[in-house]
Amino acid sequence: MNKRQSEIVDIINSNKHVDTKDLKIKFPDISDMTIRRDLEALDEMGLIVRVHGGAKSLDAIIQSDEKYAKRAVSHLEEKNLIAKKALRYVNAGSTIFLDSGTSLYALSKILPDLPMLIFTGNLFAVVELSKLSKPTIEFLGGRFNSQSMCIDGERSFDYLKDININVAFLGSTSYDESSGFSCGEECGYKLKRKIMENASTTIILMDSSKIGFTSAYSFARLEEVDIVISDDNLPKNIAEKMRNKGVSVL
């Protein structure tokens, strides 16, 4: 590791996340290609983690992983129940999409070893799916989202534009009767919309703690989804209103 690379590591560790353009400002005499090569070398040494458009410190990645782990064990019993209910819609020979989110991770852990095609950008789900021998797994390309531990962004949209999906399993950060199903990030919203356009059946996996809240981006109204799978604590009046809109509720 040379002096410049050592300085780059210090900058990334101090700021947690640095864009390539910021490093270019810091080192004006170094080409973009050299900066990218430095980041590649430092990533291979295990000193930083390259992400789309820049790099993150190891601490930042670990903290993101810890945040996700905390969400994964929150309402764990409910999420496991939701995943078990969802299994009835997983069939041999089908093409399915697994969204980001901890309920989808719970589903990935119990998917049967059947011949099918699975698209996902969920990093933790891929680890679980790698234990199966019969499915074909297609991992999305695109931007790494450290908050949801998934891949999203414009490249993901391009990758999926010609894909026909039988069943899309989507997560939702929030649900409110007026705003519908919503999430907190624009890229996540756009990806869900693209998936819904390509899917024959759209299924929302959402534990009852998400009811009555609104996030920044509404990605679906009730009439745009086919099935909602929740836990046994879903308010009866909410479930009834969903059914009245033609949505199956489990």
Side-chain angles (χ1 to χ4, degrees), residues 19-20 34 36 45 50 57 59-60 62 79 95 108 120 124 129 133 149 160 165 171 178 191 205 214 249:
D19 291 331
T20 305
T34 298
R36 285 195 295 270
M45 290 182 228
R50 284 198 71 200
S57 69
D59 280 347
I62 291 170
K79 289 170 183 175
T95 299
S108 73
T120 188
F124 286 102
L129 296 173
S133 61
M149 296 303 287
L160 291 164
I165 298 166
S178 60
L191 181 60
L205 273 57
T214 303
V249 182

Short mmCIF file of all heavy atoms in Angstrom, two decimals, residues 19-20 34 36 45 50 57 59-60 62 79 95 108 120 124 129 133 149 160 165 171 178 191 205 214 249:
data_model
loop_
_atom_site.label_atom_id
_atom_site.label_comp_id
_atom_site.label_asym_id
_atom_site.label_seq_id
_atom_site.Cartn_x
_atom_site.Cartn_y
_atom_site.Cartn_z
N ASP A 19 -17.47 9.47 -1.92
CA ASP A 19 -17.71 9.31 -3.35
C ASP A 19 -16.39 9.45 -4.11
O ASP A 19 -15.47 10.15 -3.67
CB ASP A 19 -18.68 10.38 -3.86
CG ASP A 19 -20.08 10.18 -3.32
OD1 ASP A 19 -20.44 9.02 -3.05
OD2 ASP A 19 -20.82 11.18 -3.18
N THR A 20 -16.34 8.81 -5.27
CA THR A 20 -15.13 8.90 -6.11
C THR A 20 -14.83 10.34 -6.48
O THR A 20 -13.67 10.76 -6.51
CB THR A 20 -15.32 8.06 -7.38
OG1 THR A 20 -15.65 6.72 -7.02
CG2 THR A 20 -14.06 8.04 -8.22
N THR A 34 -7.03 5.85 -11.97
CA THR A 34 -6.10 5.51 -10.88
C THR A 34 -6.84 5.43 -9.55
O THR A 34 -6.58 4.54 -8.73
CB THR A 34 -4.98 6.57 -10.79
OG1 THR A 34 -4.24 6.56 -12.02
CG2 THR A 34 -4.02 6.25 -9.65
N ARG A 36 -9.99 4.64 -9.11
CA ARG A 36 -10.76 3.40 -9.12
C ARG A 36 -9.87 2.19 -8.85
O ARG A 36 -10.25 1.27 -8.12
CB ARG A 36 -11.49 3.24 -10.46
CG ARG A 36 -12.71 4.15 -10.60
CD ARG A 36 -13.60 3.72 -11.75
NE ARG A 36 -12.95 3.87 -13.04
CZ ARG A 36 -13.01 4.98 -13.77
NH1 ARG A 36 -13.69 6.04 -13.34
NH2 ARG A 36 -12.41 5.05 -14.94
N MET A 45 -7.54 -5.82 -0.39
CA MET A 45 -6.76 -5.95 0.85
C MET A 45 -7.65 -6.06 2.08
O MET A 45 -7.18 -6.31 3.19
CB MET A 45 -5.84 -4.73 1.02
CG MET A 45 -4.69 -4.65 0.05
SD MET A 45 -3.64 -3.20 0.41
CE MET A 45 -3.46 -2.49 -1.20
N ARG A 50 -15.72 -1.38 -1.54
CA ARG A 50 -16.17 -0.61 -2.70
C ARG A 50 -17.67 -0.71 -2.85
O ARG A 50 -18.26 -1.77 -2.71
CB ARG A 50 -15.52 -1.13 -3.98
CG ARG A 50 -14.06 -0.74 -4.17
CD ARG A 50 -13.67 -0.92 -5.64
NE ARG A 50 -14.29 0.08 -6.47
CZ ARG A 50 -14.46 -0.04 -7.79
NH1 ARG A 50 -14.10 -1.14 -8.41
NH2 ARG A 50 -15.01 0.92 -8.48
N SER A 57 -16.32 2.60 4.71
CA SER A 57 -15.43 2.02 5.71
C SER A 57 -16.01 0.70 6.19
O SER A 57 -17.21 0.43 6.07
CB SER A 57 -15.26 2.97 6.90
OG SER A 57 -16.48 3.07 7.63
N ASP A 59 -16.37 -0.17 9.23
CA ASP A 59 -17.29 0.13 10.34
C ASP A 59 -18.68 0.45 9.83
O ASP A 59 -19.68 0.03 10.41
CB ASP A 59 -16.77 1.32 11.16
CG ASP A 59 -15.67 0.92 12.13
OD1 ASP A 59 -15.49 -0.30 12.33
OD2 ASP A 59 -15.01 1.82 12.67
N ALA A 60 -18.76 1.21 8.74
CA ALA A 60 -20.07 1.59 8.19
C ALA A 60 -20.83 0.36 7.72
O ALA A 60 -22.04 0.25 7.92
CB ALA A 60 -19.89 2.58 7.05
N ILE A 62 -20.39 -2.76 8.80
CA ILE A 62 -20.75 -3.56 9.97
C ILE A 62 -21.96 -2.97 10.68
O ILE A 62 -22.88 -3.67 11.10
CB ILE A 62 -19.55 -3.66 10.94
CG1 ILE A 62 -18.46 -4.52 10.30
CG2 ILE A 62 -19.98 -4.25 12.28
CD1 ILE A 62 -17.15 -4.50 11.05
N LYS A 79 -43.04 -12.66 11.52
CA LYS A 79 -42.43 -12.79 10.20
C LYS A 79 -42.30 -14.25 9.78
O LYS A 79 -42.49 -14.58 8.60
CB LYS A 79 -41.07 -12.09 10.20
CG LYS A 79 -41.20 -10.57 10.26
CD LYS A 79 -39.88 -9.88 10.49
CE LYS A 79 -40.08 -8.37 10.60
NZ LYS A 79 -38.86 -7.65 10.96
N THR A 95 -41.54 -18.55 -12.01
CA THR A 95 -40.55 -17.48 -11.90
C THR A 95 -41.03 -16.53 -10.82
O THR A 95 -42.13 -15.99 -10.91
CB THR A 95 -40.40 -16.71 -13.22
OG1 THR A 95 -39.95 -17.61 -14.24
CG2 THR A 95 -39.38 -15.59 -13.08
N SER A 108 -37.08 -16.67 2.40
CA SER A 108 -35.95 -17.32 1.70
C SER A 108 -35.38 -18.47 2.52
O SER A 108 -34.86 -19.44 1.94
CB SER A 108 -34.85 -16.29 1.40
OG SER A 108 -34.14 -15.92 2.58
N THR A 120 -33.76 -11.81 -7.33
CA THR A 120 -33.72 -11.07 -6.08
C THR A 120 -32.50 -10.15 -6.04
O THR A 120 -31.49 -10.41 -6.70
CB THR A 120 -33.69 -12.01 -4.86
OG1 THR A 120 -33.83 -11.24 -3.65
CG2 THR A 120 -32.40 -12.81 -4.79
N PHE A 124 -29.08 -11.08 1.91
CA PHE A 124 -29.21 -12.15 2.89
C PHE A 124 -30.03 -13.32 2.33
O PHE A 124 -29.76 -14.48 2.63
CB PHE A 124 -29.86 -11.62 4.18
CG PHE A 124 -28.91 -10.78 5.00
CD1 PHE A 124 -29.00 -9.40 4.99
CD2 PHE A 124 -27.94 -11.37 5.77
CE1 PHE A 124 -28.13 -8.62 5.74
CE2 PHE A 124 -27.06 -10.60 6.53
CZ PHE A 124 -27.15 -9.23 6.51
N LEU A 129 -30.58 -18.88 -0.23
CA LEU A 129 -30.94 -19.58 -1.46
C LEU A 129 -29.78 -20.41 -2.01
O LEU A 129 -30.00 -21.40 -2.71
CB LEU A 129 -31.40 -18.58 -2.51
CG LEU A 129 -32.69 -17.80 -2.18
CD1 LEU A 129 -32.93 -16.72 -3.23
CD2 LEU A 129 -33.88 -18.73 -2.08
N SER A 133 -30.32 -26.59 -4.26
CA SER A 133 -29.65 -27.08 -5.47
C SER A 133 -30.50 -26.96 -6.73
O SER A 133 -29.96 -26.88 -7.83
CB SER A 133 -29.25 -28.54 -5.27
OG SER A 133 -30.39 -29.36 -5.03
N MET A 149 -29.82 -3.63 2.80
CA MET A 149 -28.92 -4.72 2.46
C MET A 149 -29.36 -5.41 1.18
O MET A 149 -29.48 -6.64 1.11
CB MET A 149 -28.82 -5.71 3.62
CG MET A 149 -28.23 -5.13 4.89
SD MET A 149 -26.57 -4.43 4.67
CE MET A 149 -25.60 -5.92 4.49
N LEU A 160 -34.44 -5.93 -15.34
CA LEU A 160 -35.75 -6.57 -15.19
C LEU A 160 -36.76 -6.21 -16.28
O LEU A 160 -37.86 -6.76 -16.29
CB LEU A 160 -36.34 -6.20 -13.83
CG LEU A 160 -35.64 -6.79 -12.61
CD1 LEU A 160 -36.04 -6.05 -11.35
CD2 LEU A 160 -35.96 -8.27 -12.47
N ILE A 165 -42.61 -12.25 -14.63
CA ILE A 165 -42.61 -12.85 -13.30
C ILE A 165 -43.99 -13.42 -12.98
O ILE A 165 -45.00 -12.74 -13.16
CB ILE A 165 -42.21 -11.79 -12.24
CG1 ILE A 165 -40.79 -11.30 -12.51
CG2 ILE A 165 -42.32 -12.36 -10.83
CD1 ILE A 165 -40.42 -10.06 -11.76
N GLY A 171 -42.04 -6.53 -0.03
CA GLY A 171 -42.15 -6.03 1.33
C GLY A 171 -42.71 -4.62 1.33
O GLY A 171 -42.69 -3.93 0.31
N SER A 178 -55.14 5.73 3.36
CA SER A 178 -55.18 6.80 2.36
C SER A 178 -54.02 6.75 1.38
O SER A 178 -54.18 7.02 0.19
CB SER A 178 -55.20 8.17 3.05
OG SER A 178 -54.04 8.35 3.85
N LEU A 191 -38.20 0.36 -8.03
CA LEU A 191 -37.98 -1.06 -8.28
C LEU A 191 -39.27 -1.85 -8.06
O LEU A 191 -39.64 -2.71 -8.87
CB LEU A 191 -36.87 -1.60 -7.38
CG LEU A 191 -36.52 -3.07 -7.57
CD1 LEU A 191 -36.06 -3.34 -9.00
CD2 LEU A 191 -35.43 -3.50 -6.59
N LEU A 205 -45.91 -8.93 1.65
CA LEU A 205 -45.62 -9.56 2.93
C LEU A 205 -45.36 -8.45 3.94
O LEU A 205 -44.41 -7.67 3.78
CB LEU A 205 -44.40 -10.48 2.83
CG LEU A 205 -44.63 -11.93 2.38
CD1 LEU A 205 -45.31 -11.98 1.04
CD2 LEU A 205 -43.32 -12.71 2.36
N THR A 214 -47.13 5.89 7.44
CA THR A 214 -46.87 6.29 6.06
C THR A 214 -45.40 6.61 5.88
O THR A 214 -44.82 7.34 6.69
CB THR A 214 -47.70 7.54 5.68
OG1 THR A 214 -49.09 7.27 5.89
CG2 THR A 214 -47.47 7.92 4.23
N VAL A 249 -56.61 -11.82 1.70
CA VAL A 249 -55.85 -11.55 2.92
C VAL A 249 -55.63 -12.83 3.69
O VAL A 249 -56.60 -13.56 3.99
CB VAL A 249 -56.56 -10.51 3.81
CG1 VAL A 249 -55.73 -10.22 5.05
CG2 VAL A 249 -56.82 -9.22 3.04
#
